[in-house]
Amino acid sequence: MQIRTRFAPSPTGMLHIGGVRTALYSWLYAKKLKGQFVLRIEDTDTERSTKEATQAILDSMEWLGLTYDEGPFYQTERMERYKEVIKQLLNSGKAYRCYCSKERLDDLRSKQLANKEKPCYDGLCRKHNPDDPNQPFVVRFKNPKDGAVTFNDQVHGTITFQNSELDDLIIARSDGTPTYNFCVVVDDMDMQITHVIRGSDHINNTPRQINILNALDYTPPIYAHVPMILGSDGKKLSKRHGAVSAMQFCDEGFLPEALLNYLVRLGWAYGDQEIFSITEMANLFDIKDINKAASMVNPEKLLWLNQHYMKTKKPEEIAKYLRPHLETLNIDTSNGPELTKVIAIQAERCHTLVEIAEKSRYFYQNVSSYEEKAQKHLKAEIAPVLTEIKTELQNLANWQASEIHTIINNNAGKLGLKLGKVAQPIRVAVTGGTVSPPIDITLELIGKEQVLVRLDKALTFIYNHASV
RNA sequence: GUCCCCAUCGUCUAGUGGUCCAGGACGCCACCCUUUCACGGUGAAAACACGGGUUCGACCCCCGUUGGGGACGCCA
């Protein structure tokens, strides 16, 4: 059997990591079984759907490399098809027109709630079957009255709903546009989706969709409901509850493979393995290994994974992702050390690309000031050593970390100082702060010319601030 | 309220009746390394929600309790 999965987000808000994970699982499953992955935009809610949100979905998929074999399909472009199926259902008596006013429905609902009942449409128009083409109406699906719907969920096992729990849902609004539960059914059918992998908040919709499918004489697909990802407050991820859009992770300097690796392990495991390349995921992933329980986001672990990928991937690769972040910080790398060399030395001390960019400014720009707490290293007593080191560096022909190290080390030794005592003032002089990679490498990368300029500047600073 | 789902360290998880006084990872703490910051290394603390069964034997199977989540829209 040819496997076909789909990701069907609605462009009514940002695409957050919960959505990204279901997309990833669907994508992985299709890849693993050499099937097809379809992207479908569920934009039937014209009130809330936006172009920006649609673009965000497309951008996220591209950034993450979740390529689709078909689509993107837009439900708004398939209206004729939905209307056709609605007519078919109406003609075969499997759906009916409902003229109940919103007021009556609201009233009904509040009464039911007050009686501690589950709010349900009472089927008034199903019984009376009025027909007045001059009045506004919605179309409701005639849900079976008795019996039960059972389906074999691939992550939860057998799930059963009594039909008595289900009411006659609206499949077409009074303006004639079809609603979600109906469009999903038609699309999954038309697009020959074999496996529906989606969030467990859709479990309750499944029996309704199966009933519609049955009314259409179509065999339902296989369902797999993946558990929710909860915000740190333990509630469903939403705009209000700490949900962060996928693209924000891009903006914050995360690598796609780090996010994907993080997400794949949230709710799925392959023994004790933590690190998975994309191809590895695709080979090892299986729906049966998805956990049942909801999970919470653990930002520290994502950070750890991001660092892992920053320091293990080829610097050339990282450079591609890093450049835009340097640009936003107005750091021009055309003059200065090769970016790949900076990455090689900075990745292990940073957690995000943004952090690398922020902490690498001094490789490409002169220091304009010294951090407050760094100034204590620029004291009169170290001026002589600094001057001596500067002279020796000036005469150094072979500008290399090892040579630089020898010079600094020798001078420290001559004065009986620990290396750190000498390294720290130099560090402040060339970086403006107290933190940097090893001093010899830092100097090598900054380059001879700039190092001498900055050493001079530091010396001037010391003379100007010498206490009397 | 009704229905549905879920329940192992703080978090993500391994575990499918005996090999578990429960393993890994992140984080946290301590120590080592050290030229600041890190990387790395070593080690420590840290969990089977509770109560009943079933069984020679339960983290694992069944029932219940409690707790959490989701759904109940002319949203998706």
Side-chain angles (χ1 to χ4, degrees), chain A residues 282-300:
Chain A
N283 289 332
L284 300 174
F285 180 79
D286 201 335
I287 294 177
K288 71 172 169 48
D289 299 316
I290 297 176
N291 281 123
K292 292 179 172 145
S295 48
M296 287 203 219
V297 177
N298 182 190
E300 287 79 25

Side-chain angles (χ1 to χ4, degrees), chain A residues 135-153:
Chain A
Q135 289 298 309
F137 63 87
V138 298
V139 179
R140 286 184 187 271
F141 173 69
K142 232 182 236 181
N143 200 79
K145 283 252 174 261
D146 352 86
V149 182
T150 294
F151 62 97
N152 191 253
D153 190 278

Side-chain angles (χ1 to χ4, degrees), chain A residues 332-352:
Chain A
D332 177 9
T333 58
S334 52
N335 290 308
E338 264 176 55
L339 190 52
T340 51
K341 288 185 177 167
V342 172
I343 289 166
I345 199 67
Q346 290 286 56
E348 67 186 27
R349 51 203 96 225
C350 296
H351 288 96
T352 66

Side-chain angles (χ1 to χ4, degrees), chain A residues 423-440:
Chain A
Q424 213 50 359
I426 300 176
R427 178 151 16 234
V428 175
V430 299
T431 71
T434 56
V435 175
S436 89
I439 194 65
D440 46 7

Side-chain angles (χ1 to χ4, degrees), chain A residues 162-413:
Chain A
Q162 295 303 316
N163 273 323
S164 54
E165 291 294 329
L166 275 23
D167 64 355
D168 294 343
L169 74 157
I170 293 173
I171 58 177
R173 302 179 178 93
S174 40
D175 65 0
T177 58
T179 59
Y180 165 74
N181 276 107
F182 178 73
C183 297
V184 178
V185 163
V186 175
D187 285 347
D188 286 341
M189 177 174 77
D190 287 357
M191 295 171 193
Q192 311 256 315
I193 301 303
T194 59
H195 297 252
V196 171
I197 300 172
R198 69 207 331 183
S200 66
D201 48 342
H202 286 289
I203 289 181
N204 298 275
N205 291 324
T206 308
R208 299 173 185 282
Q209 294 174 5
I210 290 176
N211 280 335
I212 299 176
L213 247 7
N214 288 155
L216 259 18
D217 277 319
Y218 191 81
T219 310
I222 292 165
Y223 294 97
H225 288 96
V226 314
M228 305 267 82
I229 296 178
L230 307 175
S232 42
D233 59 352
K235 294 272 191 284
K236 184 184 177 183
L237 230 41
S238 77
K239 275 140 258 179
R240 255 169 268 141
H241 288 113
V244 176
S245 76
M247 286 317 281
Q248 193 171 330
F249 286 94
C250 175
D251 296 343
E252 287 174 1
F254 287 92
L255 257 12
E257 39 270 274
L259 218 212
L260 259 18
N261 195 151
Y262 176 72
L263 255 18
V264 81
R265 279 288 283 104
L266 205 59
W268 174 83
Y270 184 74
D272 285 338
Q273 189 170 339
E274 295 287 352
I275 306 293
F276 297 87
S277 69
I278 309 290
T279 38
E280 225 172 350
M281 283 179 206
N283 289 332
L284 300 174
F285 180 79
D286 201 335
I287 294 177
K288 71 172 169 48
D289 299 316
I290 297 176
N291 281 123
K292 292 179 172 145
S295 48
M296 287 203 219
V297 177
N298 182 190
E300 287 79 25
K301 190 162 183 179
L302 207 209
L303 250 10
W304 171 75
L305 277 164
N306 203 47
Q307 181 182 53
H308 169 84
Y309 283 102
M310 291 200 304
K311 62 184 199 199
T312 38
K313 273 173 72 82
K314 286 210 166 62
E316 295 78 45
E317 270 291 299
I318 305 297
K320 280 201 309 218
Y321 291 102
L322 179 60
R323 285 216 161 79
H325 292 106
L326 288 161
E327 261 166 50
T328 59
L329 290 178
N330 285 316
I331 298 173
D332 177 9
T333 58
S334 52
N335 290 308
E338 264 176 55
L339 190 52
T340 51
K341 288 185 177 167
V342 172
I343 289 166
I345 199 67
Q346 290 286 56
E348 67 186 27
R349 51 203 96 225
C350 296
H351 288 96
T352 66
L353 297 164
V354 169
E355 202 184 339
I356 293 186
E358 283 169 346
K359 290 186 172 171
S360 299
R361 180 163 244 131
Y362 53 77
F363 286 117
Y364 300 100
Q365 291 174 1
N366 202 339
V367 292
S368 48
S369 63
Y370 305 111
E371 284 171 26
E372 185 110 14
K373 61 178 182 201
Q375 295 185 9
K376 66 165 190 264
H377 292 286
L378 298 180
K379 283 285 159 57
E381 62 259 32
I382 52 94
V385 211
L386 245 38
T387 310
E388 172 58 22
I389 290 174
K390 196 199 93 184
T391 308
E392 290 182 32
L393 287 178
Q394 206 154 11
N395 297 328
L396 180 61
N398 188 10
W399 191 258
Q400 257 191 22
S402 57
E403 303 283 328
I404 296 168
H405 183 264
T406 308
I407 291 176
I408 297 174
N409 210 23
N410 286 350
N411 277 287

